[in-house]
Amino acid sequence: MNKVTLQDCVDFHGDFCGGVTIGWIMGNFAMEKLGVKKGDSLYLETEFQNCMNDALQMVTGCTVGKGNLKIRDIGKRTLILADCTTGRAVKVKAVPFGTKEEMLAADPSEICSFEFVDYDIPKVIKKKRNYISCAICGEEFAEDCAVVSNGKIICPDCTEH
């Protein structure tokens, strides 16, 4: 699989910003340290909720929809990338480093530190969902999210009414 370019990340995100730039650098740095490539069986946990995650999705192929991306927003520019095949994991931290142009001109090791860590990779379970209609609003929703109220099966939104 071809390596994802910064421009690929910018196109996906919709803006050339510092977050996408550092996410692209961190993602590639983590992949290199772990010796993996996009398309391998990977699991990613990030400790931030911002533009960096868009670039990381592009670089690693891990996404919320596939269940192999966990966003644990504690405000740190840190990620853990795990190889589900080998069980190895690397933790990468980024330091503040000026403008996006300065980041691109620097060696990634000036921006990122890493350590191999023990990490319990969550089991990614794909559940097949059954969908039903809410007795109050009529909207279709996943049955496993159903609430029974006054003998009616309703969606979580309607529990507030």
Side-chain angles (χ1 to χ4, degrees), residues 2-91:
N2 293 337
K3 193 169 184 176
V4 173
T5 66
L6 177 58
Q7 188 61 52
D8 293 331
C9 297
V10 169
D11 291 345
F12 175 70
H13 178 68
D15 182 35
F16 176 41
C17 64
V20 167
T21 303
I22 192 65
W24 179 74
I25 291 168
M26 288 177 74
N28 282 304
F29 186 80
M31 301 272 282
E32 178 187 311
K33 296 302 177 192
L34 203 53
V36 295
K37 63 185 180 321
K38 185 175 180 178
D40 288 347
S41 181
L42 303 173
Y43 188 89
L44 176 65
E45 181 175 321
T46 68
E47 295 184 351
F48 43 79
Q49 173 59 52
N50 65 18
C51 307
M52 290 186 265
N53 288 325
D54 285 351
L56 287 167
Q57 287 182 94
M58 291 294 294
V59 171
T60 65
C62 297
T63 68
V64 173
K66 288 191 289 191
N68 61 349
L69 169 58
K70 176 183 177 183
I71 300 170
R72 187 173 75 96
D73 186 12
I74 58 172
K76 295 181 179 180
R77 285 182 288 203
T78 302
L79 65 84
I80 296 172
L81 182 64
D83 182 339
C84 299
T85 304
T86 66
R88 293 180 66 228
V90 65
K91 185 173 194 172

Side-chain angles (χ1 to χ4, degrees), residues 134-139 141 147 149 153-161:
C134 175
I136 295 177
C137 69
E139 286 185 46
F141 70 102
V147 177
S149 178
I153 298 174
I154 62 174
C155 71
D157 285 342
C158 287
T159 61
E160 298 171 8
H161 302 304

Side-chain angles (χ1 to χ4, degrees), residues 93-110:
K93 297 177 183 181
V95 298
F97 200 85
T99 68
K100 55 190 180 245
E101 292 80 13
E102 290 169 330
M103 285 188 274
L104 291 170
D107 187 277
S109 63
E110 295 178 69

Side-chain angles (χ1 to χ4, degrees), residues 112-154:
C112 303
S113 65
F114 78 99
E115 64 180 313
F116 291 101
V117 294
D118 291 328
Y119 183 73
D120 290 326
I121 302 167
K123 189 160 190 81
V124 178
I125 300 171
K126 292 283 186 184
K127 39 180 174 171
K128 182 170 169 44
R129 292 182 129 174
N130 294 317
Y131 290 87
I132 57 175
S133 294
C134 175
I136 295 177
C137 69
E139 286 185 46
E140 187 177 75
F141 70 102
E143 184 177 29
D144 58 309
C145 297
V147 177
V148 177
S149 178
N150 297 324
K152 295 180 182 177
I153 298 174
I154 62 174

